[in-house]
Amino acid sequence: MPDSIHEIPATELKAMLDRNEPLELIDVRNPGEHAFAAIQGAKLLDEPTYQALLALDRGTKMVFQCHHGARSRQMAHHFIQQGFTNVYNVSDGIEGWSLHVDPSVRRY
């Protein structure tokens, strides 16, 4: 079983979305951060979302993001421990998204 996370920059996430790749985009920040600045289509990781994700096929492409990539990396590791094998972390987080993809997303 792979135990490594695919680290990608925000620009690669944008390319995946542009290609309409099937994926789950999960925002692991707190609700206030998500309300302030979010990537369109990202699901806030609350308890119902967490339970729904655990019910998915273990090969589902999962992309985690936070502010700078550290919290999302921890959650990506958690999902690998749950048996998921197609796990990505946006290494520069929403900060990278704001800087390199969509400057209309507010920085903080």
Side-chain angles (χ1 to χ4, degrees):
M1 180 177 92
D3 60 358
S4 63
I5 296 167
H6 304 283
E7 295 283 348
I8 60 169
T11 51
E12 178 57 26
L13 170 59
K14 173 73 165 97
M16 289 175 166
L17 294 172
D18 286 349
R19 290 189 298 265
N20 292 314
E21 291 186 20
L23 58 85
E24 294 291 328
L25 178 57
I26 303 108
D27 185 341
V28 306
R29 298 172 303 146
N30 68 49
E33 288 176 292
H34 182 79
F36 184 80
I39 299 171
Q40 186 174 355
K43 296 176 184 171
L44 186 62
L45 187 61
D46 55 15
E47 186 60 28
T49 299
Y50 177 77
Q51 294 302 326
L53 291 172
L54 287 179
L56 294 174
D57 181 273
R58 293 307 190 246
T60 301
K61 183 178 283 189
M62 305 179 95
V63 182
F64 293 89
Q65 62 86 197
C66 63
H67 191 186
H68 292 289
R71 286 177 283 175
S72 53
R73 186 174 302 110
Q74 289 178 325
M75 191 55 63
H77 275 296
H78 174 78
F79 274 83
I80 285 173
Q81 291 169 343
Q82 304 308 308
F84 288 88
T85 59
N86 199 7
V87 179
Y88 291 75
N89 180 51
V90 180
S91 57
D92 52 356
I94 197 152
E95 180 75 2
W97 186 267
S98 298
L99 288 172
H100 305 295
V101 177
D102 185 355
S104 73
V105 174
R106 295 186 287 179
R107 294 178 64 206
Y108 63 101

